[in-house]
């Protein structure tokens, strides 16, 4: 983090607590509110405001969570990319229900998102894949994500193998790698307040649109 970013964080710290939430009308769009909060998190100087916790559940009911990076969001949902053979992908294939959490401590804000997932198209995955640096593209081929490592040299040898295999040519999109789109049906905007009297504004999707309400802190 640069000195400028540190100063920006310092100046931003606590402003979410001090500033009142805007009035939210019955027809408010939670995706538009998410964009507003996400843009404010970006401006605050927070490192990686796109970092989010992704929670999935196995067939036997065991939840697991990990941090990933949000790569895109729009009215269709929230997208991240990963290995389709990873634990999270295997669990999402078995159970399409998912939960996301963004936590921006400087602003004393959280956003919780619940919904279901679907895979993005191979074309969209390829477009993003080829926007990554070459090392990350090679790494996607080399890593059998979530598999046990048999030896300390295994991963390095795999990286070396694929570096030589794709030398001098474009690295193709692995068939086992791509994006997941989260289609939300519930979004909660949490704003920290003094005395733990936090604001919790929720949006729940219905057949006709989004209904919003508040929860006790």
């Amino acid at each position: 983090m640069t000195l400028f970013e540190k100063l920006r964080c310092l100046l931003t710290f606590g402003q979410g607590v001090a500033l009142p939430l805007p009035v939210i009308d019955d027809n408010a769009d939670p995706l538009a509110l998410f964009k507003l909060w996400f843009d404010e998190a970006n401006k605050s100087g927070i490192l990686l405001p796109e970092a989010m916790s992704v929670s999935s559940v196995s067939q036997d009911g065991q939840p697991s969570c990990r941090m990933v990076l949000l790569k895109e969001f729009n009215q269709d949902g929230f997208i991240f990319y990963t290995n389709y053979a990873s634990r999270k992908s295997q669990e999402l294939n078995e159970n399409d229900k998912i939960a996301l959490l963004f936590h921006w401590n400087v602003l004393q804000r959280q956003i919780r998102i619940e919904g279901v997932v679907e895979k993005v198209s191979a074309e969209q995955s390829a477009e993003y894949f080829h926007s990554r640096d070459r090392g990350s593209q090679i790494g996607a081929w080399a890593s059998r994500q979530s598999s046990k490592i048999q030896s300390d040299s295994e991963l390095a040898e795999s990286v070396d193998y694929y570096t030589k295999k794709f030398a001098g040519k474009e690295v193709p999109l692995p068939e086992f790698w791509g994006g997941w789109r989260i289609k939300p049906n519930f979004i909660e905007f949490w704003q920290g307040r003094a005395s733990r009297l936090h604001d919790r504004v929720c949006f729940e999707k219905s057949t006709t649109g989004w209904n919003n309400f508040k929860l006790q802190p």
Side-chain angles (χ1 to χ4, degrees):
M1 184 181 290
T2 66
L3 177 60
F4 174 73
E5 288 170 331
K6 289 179 180 177
L7 289 172
R8 188 166 58 179
C9 264
L10 182 62
L11 292 172
T12 308
F13 190 80
Q15 78 171 26
V17 178
L19 299 176
L21 282 179
V23 175
I24 298 174
D25 61 44
D26 291 339
N27 298 315
D29 178 3
L31 281 305
L33 183 54
F34 177 87
K35 183 179 186 307
L36 175 64
W37 277 31
F38 187 79
D39 289 345
E40 290 177 348
N42 262 310
K43 293 174 184 176
S44 74
I46 296 171
L47 182 64
L48 295 178
E50 66 272 29
M52 61 182 184
S53 171
V54 170
S55 297
S56 55
V57 181
S58 66
Q59 280 187 316
D60 62 3
Q62 174 61 53
S64 61
C65 62
R66 72 289 292 162
M67 300 299 293
V68 304
L69 298 180
L70 176 70
K71 292 301 179 181
E72 183 181 342
F73 66 90
N74 52 38
Q75 289 296 323
D76 294 327
F78 304 82
I79 295 174
F80 71 93
Y81 292 87
T82 189
N83 188 311
Y84 284 147
S86 65
R87 175 179 174 177
K88 58 183 170 296
S89 289
Q90 291 177 22
E91 291 179 346
L92 293 172
N93 278 319
E94 297 165 354
N95 181 345
D96 66 354
K97 293 181 174 62
I98 192 171
L100 309 179
L101 172 65
F102 294 85
H103 178 224
W104 299 314
N105 186 54
V106 166
L107 297 171
Q108 279 293 286
R109 283 179 174 175
Q110 298 182 81
I111 300 179
R112 292 197 308 111
I113 299 169
E114 297 174 6
V116 295
V117 295
E118 63 182 15
K119 289 180 179 177
V120 306
S121 68
E123 292 76 17
Q124 186 170 353
S125 291
E127 182 179 358
Y128 171 70
F129 181 78
H130 290 120
S131 74
R132 306 172 92 205
D133 66 89
R134 189 174 180 85
S136 295
Q137 293 179 38
I138 294 292
W141 278 95
S143 172
R144 293 182 298 163
Q145 194 175 105
S146 300
S147 297
K148 290 182 179 179
I149 291 180
Q150 303 303 318
S151 69
D152 291 341
S153 61
E154 181 182 2
L155 186 58
E157 290 171 357
S158 185
V159 169
D160 183 61
Y161 171 80
Y162 285 107
T163 298
K164 292 175 180 176
K165 179 176 181 177
F166 299 127
K169 55 186 176 182
E170 182 179 79
V171 180
L173 172 72
E175 62 181 15
F176 53 80
W177 195 96
W180 286 104
R181 177 185 292 107
I182 295 87
K183 303 178 73 172
N185 51 43
F186 176 85
I187 304 178
E188 177 186 329
F189 296 86
W190 182 99
Q191 175 65 73
R193 294 298 184 204
S195 302
R196 301 187 182 275
L197 298 175
H198 313 306
D199 289 323
R200 299 177 64 187
V201 180
C202 302
F203 291 80
E204 198 165 49
K205 198 164 193 179
S206 69
T207 55
T208 58
W210 289 95
N211 300 315
N212 67 68
F213 53 90
K214 292 185 176 182
L215 294 177
Q216 293 277 357

